[in-house]
Amino acid sequence: MKSVQLKRKRLKNLRVIADLHIHGRYSRATSQSMRIEEIARFAKIKGLNLVGTGDFTHPKWLNELQESLVQDQETGLFKAANNPELPVYFMVTAEVSTVFSFKGEVKKVHHVILAPDMATAIQINEQLANYGDLTADGRPTLNLSAPQLVEEVMEISGEVMIFPAHAWTPWFSVFGAFSGFDSMEDCYQDMVKYVYALETGLSSDPPMNWRLSRLDRFTLVSNSDSHSFWPWRIGREANVFEFKKLSYREVVDATQNKDRGKFKFTIETDPAYGKYHWTGHRNCNVSLPPSEAIKLGNICPVCRKRLTKGVEQRVEELADRPANFKPENAIGYIHLLPLSEIIATVLGVDSPSSQQVWNIYHVLVEKFGSEYNVLLDASKEALCKVVDERIAEAIIRVRGGKIRVVPGYDGVYGRPIFFEEFSRNFSRKVKQSSISDFM
């Protein structure tokens, strides 16, 4: 579905592509090379011009941020100290985990925090250190409730913005199937009035969230939650703004006010690409859409253990609107896939990091300036002048929403299919389950 008009008029406004949820090198399962210098370098290649610092709550990472960033006087945001001419700005951000009891059940919810400056981040750290060990992980676990968290950070500064991270993943999210809530109001209680947005995550997209009328007042944002600077991770989801002048306040105001004049659209991977879209069991190669999982009572037909409930099924449980409903004044979106993944799939190469993929990737980025220029703006005719026509066609099909994705499940990423020959090849490797397979 192509819900965003990509042919933009010539505007004096600056197009800002922002990924505000990433992690630094002190987070678990994150590359030790995840430093500001490398993040900035690959953000430029990707086409991002605004990136979250991630993990300001970790003392060592905060020290590195203070050493590696310089404040830009014009925007109030930050730039890499080793290369301030690079057109990549940083916003001070973090993700935290809250674990608490609600009506006799343990709830585990992750939240993204945006701070206007380093001084505010330092004050937030001083306060949150009372509730958990900030040195244990870049994304600390805090022994306080979601409403308490909001209250604590908002008392420090009304400029802070906080919203639930990857709102639908089965674990550690506001609507998670295993430890989440059925509504934003239950989660944040009287502090919900200070929460203006929610993050869709890889396994959901705006149309899935539009099915819940109670979410209409929240702005849907999209970020990568990346643990790596590689371009098939960082910026794989993002937010696109247009401003006359970039600043922290402009970004926050456009988000809080759901300002369609400034917040143009989100970039989403097809939700089927996410690791928890369908219900399933990875160990048994069982993957099921909601209707068939429900018929089986969410029990794996192979090993008889409980299936990992997918995001699509969880949305179905809470939805009060039919599929394809679109609210008035909704911010648009477009489905994209990382360019490296597109190239690797067309070539039949397993890894987007292979040299064969990199060679083609570099040719495209050198020609068009960035990955997002390739994915959003380059015409097929222009693409065909520098790469094989099949790669050009795949890029255009992704942009137009004319591909199919074999849904991800239980920690397994979905797989894109661009052409029928790939569909036949893929079907020999992975078989989607049907309830009839177990009858």
Side-chain angles (χ1 to χ4, degrees):
M1 172 178 148
K2 186 176 181 181
S3 59
V4 175
Q5 177 56 260
L6 295 173
K7 292 182 179 179
R8 298 175 292 110
K9 297 178 181 178
R10 291 184 176 274
L11 298 173
K12 293 182 180 179
N13 290 355
L14 170 69
R15 179 168 80 173
V16 175
I17 305 182
D19 182 359
L20 301 178
H21 179 188
I22 70 167
H23 288 281
R25 67 194 190 96
Y26 295 100
S27 276
R28 292 189 181 96
T30 300
S31 167
Q32 286 300 297
S33 299
M34 195 72 160
R35 300 175 183 271
I36 287 297
E37 295 80 7
E38 291 297 290
I39 296 169
R41 183 163 74 94
F42 280 94
K44 180 181 181 298
I45 291 170
K46 185 75 177 187
L48 295 166
N49 44 9
L50 179 59
V51 185
T53 60
D55 300 349
F56 73 67
T57 54
H58 196 284
K60 289 184 178 179
W61 183 242
L62 182 61
N63 287 339
E64 289 190 22
L65 294 179
Q66 292 174 296
E67 294 172 358
S68 303
L69 295 172
V70 292
Q71 191 163 24
D72 178 69
Q73 296 304 309
E74 184 176 349
T75 65
L77 296 165
F78 297 84
K79 286 194 161 190
N82 73 321
N83 191 0
E85 299 304 313
L86 206 65
V88 176
Y89 295 88
F90 285 87
M91 181 184 291
V92 184
T93 66
E95 181 187 10
V96 301
S97 175
T98 56
V99 180
F100 56 102
S101 294
F102 178 80
K103 295 183 177 180
E105 295 182 347
V106 175
K107 301 295 183 180
K108 302 176 182 180
V109 183
H110 287 184
H111 318 260
V112 176
I113 302 172
L114 313 182
D117 49 46
M118 292 291 181
T120 302
I122 291 170
Q123 292 180 66
I124 291 173
N125 286 4
E126 290 173 351
Q127 192 65 16
L128 296 186
N130 296 315
Y131 301 98
D133 183 1
L134 301 188
T135 68
D137 187 14
R139 181 185 56 211
T141 297
L142 306 175
N143 185 27
L144 80 172
S145 69
Q148 286 177 308
L149 173 67
V150 176
E151 184 174 17
E152 294 282 2
V153 299
M154 295 305 295
E155 282 184 353
I156 292 168
S157 172
E159 295 287 296
V160 171
M161 184 173 180
I162 185 168
F163 53 86
H166 42 71
W168 291 94
T169 53
W171 294 276
F172 302 106
S173 71
V174 63
F175 298 127
F178 296 113
S179 58
F181 295 83
D182 288 349
S183 73
M184 292 280 282
E185 288 74 17
D186 280 348
C187 179
Y188 291 103
Q189 300 176 42
D190 59 330
M191 291 291 109
V192 74
K193 61 188 174 184
Y194 297 112
V195 180
Y196 298 93
L198 65 87
E199 186 179 76
T200 58
L202 292 182
S203 291
S204 88
D205 64 0
M208 295 172 71
N209 288 270
W210 292 340
R211 296 192 61 195
L212 280 71
S213 61
R214 70 192 75 168
L215 298 183
D216 284 355
R217 84 166 184 85
F218 300 97
T219 303
L220 303 178
V221 298
S222 194
N223 301 290
S224 71
D225 193 5
S226 183
H227 290 236
S228 163
F229 51 70
W230 298 119
W232 52 89
R233 290 289 181 259
I234 194 168
R236 58 187 168 179
E237 296 203 326
N239 312 279
V240 180
F241 301 93
E242 282 186 355
F243 299 124
K244 286 184 170 60
K245 181 180 178 181
L246 175 61
S247 70
Y248 174 86
R249 195 68 250 170
E250 283 285 331
V251 173
V252 169
D253 284 349
T255 304
Q256 290 184 344
N257 298 327
K258 201 184 287 189
D259 185 346
R260 293 197 304 163
K262 295 179 179 179
F263 197 154
K264 308 308 289 186
F265 59 96
T266 56
I267 294 171
E268 315 269 344
T269 58
D270 187 306
Y273 183 75
K275 294 191 291 185
Y276 296 100
H277 186 65
W278 267 9
T279 297
H281 190 191
R282 172 175 40 185
N283 291 342
C284 297
N285 293 318
V286 173
S287 170
L288 298 164
S291 60
E292 300 196 354
I294 291 169
K295 290 177 184 176
L296 292 171
N298 287 326
I299 299 298
C300 178
V302 177
C303 69
R304 309 307 299 172
K305 293 181 180 179
R306 180 162 290 278
L307 296 167
T308 300
K309 186 182 294 183
V311 171
E312 187 173 306
Q313 183 174 342
R314 181 66 175 144
V315 170
E316 195 68 43
E317 290 176 349
L318 300 181
D320 60 348
R321 288 169 171 164
N324 301 318
F325 182 92
K326 182 177 181 180
E328 292 184 10
N329 300 318
I331 290 172
Y333 73 97
I334 184 172
H335 285 152
L336 292 179
L337 288 172
L339 180 58
S340 303
E341 300 271 8
I342 296 173
I343 297 169
T345 302
V346 173
L347 296 179
V349 176
D350 289 335
S351 173
S353 65
S354 75
Q355 192 59 52
Q356 188 180 6
V357 173
W358 269 120
N359 291 342
I360 297 171
Y361 182 92
H362 283 308
V363 167
L364 285 166
V365 169
E366 184 175 355
K367 173 64 177 179
F368 298 102
S370 74
E371 176 175 333
Y372 271 130
N373 285 347
V374 174
L375 294 175
L376 291 171
D377 301 323
S379 68
K380 182 178 178 181
E381 180 182 13
L383 291 167
C384 285
K385 291 180 179 178
V386 292
V387 295
D388 182 88
E389 185 178 359
R390 288 196 309 163
I391 293 174
E393 176 63 21
I395 292 168
I396 298 301
R397 289 190 182 192
V398 169
R399 184 188 302 170
K402 297 179 180 179
I403 68 167
R404 183 165 67 90
V405 179
V406 177
Y409 66 99
D410 195 21
V412 178
Y413 278 110
R415 292 290 300 269
I417 296 173
F418 306 131
F419 310 105
E420 284 306 311
E421 57 267 34
F422 291 107
S423 176
R424 290 192 295 272
N425 291 339
F426 182 77
S427 66
R428 287 194 289 268
K429 297 179 183 178
V430 177
K431 184 177 184 298
Q432 285 183 281
S433 305
S434 168
I435 194 169
S436 61
D437 295 332
F438 309 106
M439 295 298 187

